[in-house]
Structure formats: structure tokens, C-alpha cells
Amino acid sequence: MEKELEFYSLFLVQKNKEAVLKSNFSSDFFDVFSDKVNFEIPAKTKIVLGKTMYNKIDFNDGINFVISDKFFQILTKNKLTGWKTYPVEIENTDKKYYGFQIIGKSGPLKEKKQQGFHIGYEFDKSSWDGTDFFSPKNTHLRFLSEKAKDVLNCGKKTNIEIENIKKIENYSFGEE
């Protein structure tokens, strides 16, 4: 019997004294997340909260983030797919960071029949493009393949959490 595919969600965890960057995108920040915006020149930003610069730093828009050169090298070395970066300049630091965009896709999440809280996300697996990082249609969720989960769990994670999508509590408005 073939093993069922497992998928995971990447959560961005805020740590004490963690740096947060100013989100000053001229475009809608959801468009930045979902690769509808391409940056030719570096996005200029600065730290507006905290000071500790981890391997992942959030923008203050709640959606977008940057990754360190170390994080970038891990993703590249392991040939993970479904993502791309854009140039970023962070004021008052020489450390190299990249804006992170998820370009992998799947179809929409399956709607729950009942309104309320539910455990687990579901989507039609045949709609998934096979990438390691992907976002279901019409969401800003960060889903991972099992390969991406294994790679990220092997490295020193600083401020990310990975959870199986079958175990995540979520709210549904029910089918209309």
C-alpha cells in the first residue's frame, strides 16, 4: 500500500526581542506574498521593533517575511521548490537577507459543511503542483511538503513552527 502524502504548515513564531521589519511595500502585501509583485531593485526596510535578527524576520504586515543567507543556502542546497526571493536592504546592518515569496500552488481548501471551528485543512491533492512550498488558492497559508518539513526540522530552527495540516484548528463559515 502506498503511503499517503502528508502536508505541513509553516507558522512564523514571534520570539522575545525578535526584530520586526517595517512593511513599506507600494503594492498590497498579499500580492507581495503570493508572487504577484516582482522586485527589480531591493526593497528597503528597517527594524521597527526588537533587535535580535534570527534566520527569519517578519514584516509588520503579518504576512511577509525575509530569510537569512543561511536559511537561503539550506533551501538551495536541498533543492526545495515552490519559492523565490527578492532583494532586501535592511537599514543599519550588513547581514544578508532575502524577501521570501511562495510561488507553489494548489487548488482551494475544501469547505466544511458546518460553520464553526474544525480540526485540519483539506484540499484536492491532485490540484497540488508538486512543489515543496505552496499556498492553497485564495489563501495566504504556507504549506510544506514532507521533504521541506524534514529539511527544516534538521536545521537549527529559530523562530518557525511546523505542524501537520490535519491537526490545525481553523474556522469555517460553512458551505453557502
Side-chain angles (χ1 to χ4, degrees):
M1 188 166 117
E2 192 174 320
K3 182 182 170 194
E4 181 183 350
L5 290 173
E6 295 286 332
F7 297 97
Y8 302 84
S9 186
L10 176 67
F11 291 101
L12 308 178
V13 179
Q14 202 65 35
K15 289 192 141 202
N16 189 28
K17 298 182 183 174
E18 177 179 342
V20 175
L21 302 174
K22 179 171 179 47
S23 176
N24 53 3
F25 299 114
S26 59
S27 303
D28 181 290
F29 51 82
F30 291 110
D31 288 346
V32 173
F33 168 84
S34 60
D35 184 38
K36 293 179 183 167
V37 177
N38 288 305
F39 294 92
E40 300 297 320
I41 58 173
K44 295 182 187 265
T45 186
K46 64 181 180 180
I47 296 172
V48 292
L49 185 67
K51 60 183 176 185
T52 306
M53 297 178 74
Y54 291 105
N55 289 320
K56 184 265 322 155
I57 304 175
D58 296 328
F59 280 102
N60 63 354
D61 61 22
I63 299 290
N64 294 290
F65 60 98
V66 299
I67 60 172
S68 68
D69 191 52
K70 177 183 174 182
F71 199 135
F72 177 86
Q73 297 303 327
I74 290 169
L75 300 179
T76 304
K77 180 180 123 192
N78 289 281
K79 297 180 172 64
L80 296 180
T81 60
W83 62 280
K84 74 176 198 173
T85 61
Y86 55 90
V88 172
E89 286 180 9
I90 302 172
E91 191 176 287
N92 297 323
T93 185
D94 292 334
K95 293 181 181 179
K96 188 157 180 88
Y97 281 84
Y98 305 87
F100 189 84
Q101 292 174 303
I102 293 178
I103 58 175
K105 304 287 180 218
S106 77
L109 296 174
K110 291 182 180 176
E111 284 294 321
K112 307 290 185 188
K113 296 192 185 308
Q114 300 289 327
Q115 180 175 344
F117 286 97
H118 300 276
I119 302 294
Y121 286 115
E122 295 178 51
F123 63 96
D124 179 359
K125 298 198 180 31
S126 68
S127 70
W128 170 50
D129 65 7
T131 54
D132 295 308
F133 289 87
F134 64 100
S135 186
K137 185 176 181 178
N138 300 324
T139 76
H140 295 95
L141 297 170
R142 301 169 189 95
F143 283 4
L144 306 173
S145 68
E146 193 158 6
K147 175 184 175 184
K149 179 218 33 139
D150 291 344
V151 166
L152 295 178
N153 278 340
C154 284
K156 276 189 159 182
K157 294 186 312 184
T158 52
N159 52 348
I160 62 170
E161 254 179 41
I162 298 171
E163 186 172 353
N164 190 307
I165 66 169
K166 291 179 182 176
K167 297 178 180 178
I168 298 171
E169 187 172 336
N170 60 82
Y171 187 86
S172 173
F173 291 99
E175 289 183 350
E176 295 183 13

